[in-house]
Amino acid sequence: MSDAPITILLVEDNPGDARLVEVLLEEAAGPGAFVFRREAALEPAVARLERECCDVVLLDLSLPDSQGLATVRRMRAAAPQLPIVVLTGLDDESVAIQAMQQGAQDYLVKGSGDGELIRRAIRYSIERVRADHTLRASEARFRGIFENTSLGVVLVDREGRLAETNPALHAMLGREDGGLRGAGLADLGHPNDLARTRAGLNALFDGARERLRLETRFLAPDGEVVWLRLDAALARGLAPAQALVVGVVEDVTARKRMEDELRMAAQVFHNTSEGIFVADAGQRIIHVNPAFEALTGYSGEEAAGKRLEFLGSGRHDAAFYAAIQDALDREGRWQGEIWNRGKGGETLVVWLDYSAVRDATGAVVNHVAVFNDITARKQTEERLAHQVNHDPLTDLPNRVLFEERLDRALTRAARSHKLVALMFIDLDGFKAINDVHGHLMGDKLLQAVAERLLDCTRQGDTVARIAGDEFTVVLEDVDEAGDVAVVADKILARFREPFRVDGIELPVTASIGIGLFPTDARDAATLIRLADEAMYAAKGGGRDRYRFRSDALNSRAAQRLTLESALERALSNDEFRLHYQPIFDLRTRRLAGVEALLRWQPPGGRLRDPHDFLPYLEQSEQIIAVGEWVLREACAQAAAWHRQGRSDLVLAVNLSPLQLYRGDLVAAVTDTLRASGLPAERLELEFPEAAVAEPSLPGAADGLDRAVLLTALKSLGVRLAVGGFGTGHASFARLRRLPVDLLKIDPSFVRDLGADPADEGIVEAMIALAHSLDMGVAAVGVERQDQLDWLRRHACDLGQGHLFARPAPPESVAIDAASLDGVGAGPPPGA
């Protein structure tokens, strides 16, 4: 207790007795230990307690307004928390006991003790009351926690009976109305878990263990299984006979069910035949199942961190995967067929169900993909579709597929404003072969015919067998009728070569009818009819020939055939000529070189420029032999000029794209330089811009890379130039990686210099960028003084065109002291 004075309410109607008590207490405890408040009757004392506080009441039982035990009861009712010590003259043990039962802390008889006895009684009474208050408060707090905690609390005795349970446990077991006290574990526990639970509790009671933690099943009244996690220990401070185990209980039914579901899902994940992968929010794979590994060939480690696209077969473009992403963003799910590629390179067609997984806030946390292998089914479907749409003998499209493709071709041509050509082909003399050699030989011949037709056409063209010995060819993206005539000539030439079947030569030719869309017809049915009619016209005209529906086209085709026949003899008849056009250095105004230009002089005809015959040489591939002739003749002429004193002269020779695609150009250039004696650094090989717009050579048999070929040429010491620059879409980034010395600006850009600011800006940019890459620049087609002035102002290196000199035979080219003096009087660039 503290040293503060104790306030005593002394309820005594005898003043002498009251004063005696005060004196005795002051003598026992010393002055100031107590503060006294005195009342002579009960009711004033009760009223005083309502106004003032005190620590203890000394109560006489005989008062003017109250007698005996009723006095204790009345005081206790007025001050239930205040210690009461009865101080009375009645020495009766039974009364004393009853007073204690009524709430008095002690019972003293007047005159039977000294002040110390009274002091101790007062102090003990106060301490007992305070201890009782503390215990009650603690018990109230415990009861509050016990009754209101969300965790279940249970006290279990050694017999397995529930000595105490709280409402939370009642709710867990479906006994909200209580009724658990005294119930046994045998009444509540799951039969399969009872033995384990009892064994754990017995170990606590026997001291074999200090704590018990286990998850066990109980049964609700409706028979539903409830999983509870029990954390229990032996309650301390109790006699062995009264031993209890106190346990804290948590309902883990939901977690157990989730674990069961996850366990089941894991079993499905690992054992299903469907491929599954789980990806993160960014769609990077984090888990795959064994079926995924078996189907794709990729292990989980190899797939980890990759997106769906890493399985791509190349069949789907970026837009396809973007559509999947869009569906996931909008709907959270995408389903569809997708063509993948396994680790071994095999095609894997699957039906994919791809879903986004969201958390409680709606944010995407994962993606799950489930796919079935439908490769075999797709192969069966494609095989059946192929059988329906293809001729079983030749494997070419049949009439149904031919008409479908023709319709699509006409639709595309209407949008692109291109021509579509339809060829109707009928074999000449096929019936006789069938009659003489039998139908089996005829079938084999038809198969050989199909192979030759495929060899004569492009990959995107359609070759079909529509009946008997009738075939059709659909040519798309046709620029002019002459292109169709080239294909027709090629087919006729191949068919003139005898077919060898089973060791027997079978002479078969073809009659071809040609219809053009939209020139001859604007719908498929009409085009088919007109091409068929043209085919019969070809047969009627003597067979082994082709006929257009249009008489004008037939006339032009005949002229083309005559021209091609003449060109076939031109090289051997020495009909080609070389003219040379000077090239000037615009800074020094001196002759820098000459360009060799091809001309054709037919017997008895006019001298013809390249645009009249060069396309035919390209199409027939004669350009390779003619190009080699040009290279030999030009190098020989340049070597002669060098011997005449112009050793600084550079010879420019144009190369056809076919010379890059076919043959051994490096060997041809090497042999020519050696034979002519022309220094390699004085030879400039010019190739069109379109030939270097892409890295590979599409026609090269060995897939040669352009950079590799040009580097090999450059290693000989020759100069390399890109002609017609600005028209072939070759980027400077591409050119930067090639060993190019000179860019020759196409005449179409030079034509409007000094008049068109747009072209001027383009040419100015070309010159600046070329110089930044250490390349020279030549302007081709300079015809006016204002063009020359502009080029010199903008530091163009070389110029070529009619303003300086027209192409001429070698004997007419003035190579001695040739300069620009007298041509263009402006100051030099940069002056």
Side-chain angles (χ1 to χ4, degrees):
M1 295 180 64
S2 67
D3 294 333
I6 297 173
T7 301
I8 299 174
L9 175 60
L10 179 58
V11 186
E12 173 64 58
D13 61 337
N14 186 327
D17 289 344
R19 179 59 187 156
L20 178 61
V21 170
E22 292 177 3
V23 171
L24 290 175
L25 285 175
E26 287 179 354
E27 289 178 352
F34 296 98
V35 175
F36 294 96
R37 304 283 189 267
R38 181 175 172 272
E39 294 292 344
L42 180 60
E43 290 306 324
V46 170
R48 186 164 193 152
L49 287 177
E50 292 177 356
R51 301 190 308 272
E52 301 177 15
C53 293
C54 67
D55 296 311
V56 65
V57 175
L58 286 180
L59 179 65
D60 188 7
L61 295 183
S62 298
L63 295 171
D65 54 356
S66 178
Q67 293 292 320
L69 294 175
T71 306
V72 177
R73 287 194 297 272
R74 178 74 180 90
M75 180 58 71
R76 172 55 60 209
Q81 306 299 323
L82 199 62
I84 300 173
V85 176
V86 174
L87 183 60
T88 182
L90 182 61
D91 186 4
D92 188 332
E93 184 176 347
S94 63
V95 173
I97 292 172
Q98 292 180 53
M100 300 287 283
Q101 291 174 343
Q102 295 295 328
Q105 301 299 319
D106 208 343
Y107 189 94
L108 301 178
V109 179
K110 295 178 182 179
S112 62
D114 55 11
E116 179 62 24
L117 176 64
I118 299 173
R119 184 186 69 80
R120 284 200 303 270
I122 289 173
R123 286 189 173 273
Y124 291 158
S125 296
I126 293 173
E127 289 173 359
R128 282 196 299 271
V129 168
R130 289 179 177 175
D132 183 62
H133 289 172
T134 301
L135 178 61
R136 289 179 182 277
S138 175
E139 191 173 285
R141 285 194 297 271
F142 167 76
R143 180 57 59 181
I145 295 172
F146 184 80
E147 296 290 341
N148 297 294
T149 181
S150 60
L151 295 174
V153 181
V154 60
L155 278 71
V156 184
D157 64 18
R158 183 178 288 274
E159 302 304 321
R161 292 187 297 271
L162 276 60
E164 190 73 51
T165 57
N166 72 337
L169 182 62
H170 302 163
M172 293 177 190
L173 295 178
R175 306 291 183 97
E176 285 82 354
D177 56 350
L180 289 179
R181 177 178 292 186
L185 290 176
D187 303 322
L188 303 171
H190 192 284
N192 295 342
D193 291 357
L194 272 176
R196 181 166 61 93
T197 305
R198 287 301 303 268
L201 292 173
N202 289 339
L204 290 177
F205 282 114
D206 296 339
R209 60 192 303 173
E210 292 184 357
R211 202 163 196 87
L212 173 64
R213 293 186 178 91
L214 59 81
E215 292 181 352
T216 184
R217 288 171 289 181
F218 282 76
L219 296 175
D222 59 1
E224 183 179 355
V225 174
V226 180
W227 276 94
L228 299 180
R229 185 171 67 84
L230 175 66
D231 190 344
L234 195 65
R236 299 184 183 277
L238 298 178
Q242 299 174 333
L244 293 173
V245 166
V246 59
V248 177
V249 181
E250 181 182 0
D251 187 348
V252 294
T253 306
R255 177 172 62 78
K256 279 292 187 179
R257 288 174 180 168
M258 184 178 295
E259 288 175 356
D260 290 342
E261 292 174 0
L262 290 174
R263 191 177 301 109
M264 184 178 300
Q267 291 294 322
V268 173
F269 183 80
H270 285 283
N271 297 308
T272 182
S273 61
E274 298 174 317
I276 302 174
F277 71 75
V278 180
D280 60 16
Q283 299 185 42
R284 291 175 292 274
I285 295 174
I286 54 179
H287 297 299
V288 303
N289 72 337
F292 175 97
E293 296 179 334
L295 289 171
T296 67
Y298 290 100
S299 67
E301 291 77 10
E302 291 171 316
K306 296 182 174 63
R307 292 168 60 91
L308 172 65
E309 291 89 331
F310 97 97
L311 294 171
S313 63
R315 185 184 183 99
H316 307 299
D317 56 15
F320 175 82
Y321 291 103
I324 293 179
Q325 182 64 58
D326 182 61
L328 289 173
D329 293 341
R330 288 186 297 102
E331 304 170 12
R333 187 177 188 182
W334 182 87
Q335 286 183 309
E337 180 181 293
I338 186 168
W339 290 63
N340 288 334
R341 190 176 304 281
K343 184 177 180 180
E346 69 281 4
T347 298
L348 182 66
V349 188
V350 303
W351 183 263
L352 180 69
D353 191 329
Y354 200 16
S355 301
V357 180
R358 300 180 184 273
D359 62 13
T361 67
V364 175
V365 292
N366 285 107
H367 293 83
V368 177
V370 181
F371 60 87
N372 295 307
D373 183 2
I374 60 172
T375 307
R377 190 187 80 193
K378 290 296 295 184
Q379 290 172 343
T380 300
E381 291 174 354
E382 290 181 355
R383 185 168 59 252
L384 292 174
H386 188 86
Q387 291 173 355
V388 169
N389 293 300
H390 288 76
D391 171 43
L393 178 63
T394 63
D395 202 38
L396 293 177
N398 57 17
R399 179 183 288 275
V400 174
L401 184 55
F402 153 69
E403 291 178 350
E404 179 183 323
R405 290 189 179 178
L406 179 61
D407 282 334
R408 290 204 298 264
L410 299 188
T411 301
R412 286 192 291 268
R415 289 196 299 263
S416 63
H417 304 292
K418 294 274 190 174
L419 297 177
V420 173
L422 172 61
M423 293 184 176
F424 240 81
I425 303 172
D426 188 80
L427 302 184
D428 302 324
F430 178 74
K431 183 177 184 302
I433 292 174
N434 254 350
D435 294 341
V436 173
H437 298 284
H439 289 283
L440 179 59
M441 184 69 76
D443 288 347
K444 292 182 178 180
L445 174 60
L446 292 174
Q447 291 172 338
V449 166
E451 291 178 5
R452 286 199 185 178
L453 286 174
L454 290 172
D455 287 342
C456 294
T457 54
R458 300 168 299 181
Q459 186 174 4
D461 299 329
T462 296
V463 179
R465 179 183 177 222
I466 58 174
D469 61 339
E470 292 183 349
F471 295 82
T472 57
V473 176
V474 179
L475 303 177
E476 295 190 62
D477 295 324
V478 176
D479 291 321
E480 58 179 23
D483 298 333
V484 184
V486 172
V487 178
D489 282 332
K490 187 175 182 179
I491 293 173
L492 294 177
R494 288 297 308 277
F495 274 52
R496 291 176 190 129
E497 303 170 9
F499 289 87
R500 180 171 290 275
V501 180
D502 292 345
I504 301 174
E505 286 193 357
L506 303 176
V508 174
T509 58
S511 296
I512 305 175
I514 303 172
L516 296 178
F517 169 88
T519 307
D520 299 327
R522 293 186 172 273
D523 63 87
T526 305
L527 189 63
I528 292 172
R529 178 175 59 81
L530 295 179
D532 193 25
E533 292 176 359
M535 181 270 293
Y536 280 107
K539 278 190 175 295
R543 303 188 176 188
D544 186 22
R545 64 192 62 208
Y546 64 85
R547 286 287 182 269
F548 283 95
R549 166 65 181 172
S550 166
D551 291 337
L553 291 178
N554 284 323
S555 175
R556 286 202 293 272
Q559 294 172 6
R560 179 192 186 98
L561 185 60
T562 301
L563 177 63
E564 291 175 351
S565 299
L567 279 171
E568 290 176 0
R569 301 185 296 271
L571 186 60
S572 59
N573 291 345
D574 195 24
E575 298 173 8
F576 289 114
R577 305 284 184 268
L578 285 182
H579 284 195
Y580 298 87
Q581 186 173 33
I583 303 171
F584 287 90
D585 186 320
L586 300 186
R587 179 176 292 274
T588 65
R589 305 170 68 87
R590 303 290 297 174
L591 181 68
V594 293
E595 180 177 1
L597 300 171
L598 183 64
R599 300 292 186 265
W600 177 33
Q601 181 68 68
R606 63 178 178 83
L607 186 69
R608 307 188 73 162
D609 288 335
H611 65 267
D612 290 337
F613 61 87
L614 204 57
Y616 303 106
L617 291 179
E618 295 273 5
Q619 291 165 359
S620 65
E621 300 190 6
Q622 288 180 265
I623 191 64
I624 296 176
V626 174
E628 292 177 353
W629 177 86
V630 170
L631 185 63
R632 289 194 302 271
E633 289 293 313
C635 285
Q637 179 61 63
W641 281 329
H642 277 227
R643 289 192 293 272
Q644 296 173 22
R646 287 309 305 263
S647 59
D648 59 338
L649 204 64
V650 174
L651 169 69
V653 177
N654 291 289
L655 297 177
S656 163
L658 281 181
Q659 288 176 272
L660 297 175
Y661 303 161
R662 306 281 194 271
D664 191 344
L665 182 60
V666 176
V669 173
T670 302
D671 293 344
T672 300
L673 289 173
R674 184 184 302 114
S676 66
L678 181 68
E681 66 272 13
R682 295 306 173 191
L683 174 61
E684 181 178 276
L685 299 177
E686 179 182 327
F687 44 86
E689 181 190 6
V692 294
E694 297 295 336
S696 61
L697 299 172
D702 59 357
L704 185 64
D705 186 278
R706 290 183 174 90
V708 174
L709 175 60
L710 297 181
T711 301
L713 289 171
K714 185 66 178 174
S715 68
L716 300 178
V718 302
R719 294 167 53 83
L720 299 178
V722 176
F725 188 74
T727 61
H729 308 293
S731 67
F732 275 97
R734 173 71 185 150
L735 290 173
R736 183 172 56 85
R737 295 190 289 269
L738 299 177
V740 175
D741 299 293
L742 182 68
L743 297 184
K744 302 186 73 172
I745 300 173
D746 190 77
S748 62
F749 292 98
V750 177
R751 183 180 304 117
D752 291 328
L753 290 180
D756 187 340
D759 277 353
E760 290 176 357
I762 294 172
V763 174
E764 185 176 0
M766 289 180 183
I767 295 172
L769 287 171
H771 286 167
S772 71
L773 298 176
D774 293 326
M775 297 178 188
V777 184
V780 180
V782 181
E783 298 181 350
R784 302 191 313 272
Q785 181 65 48
D786 60 332
Q787 295 170 339
L788 174 60
D789 293 341
W790 191 96
L791 291 167
R792 296 183 72 240
R793 284 198 308 272
H794 290 83
C796 184
D797 302 297
L798 302 173
Q800 177 182 352
H802 292 174
L803 179 64
F804 312 131
R806 293 180 178 271
E811 62 274 12
S812 302
V813 178
I815 63 170
D816 297 328
S819 73
L820 287 180
D821 293 340
V823 177

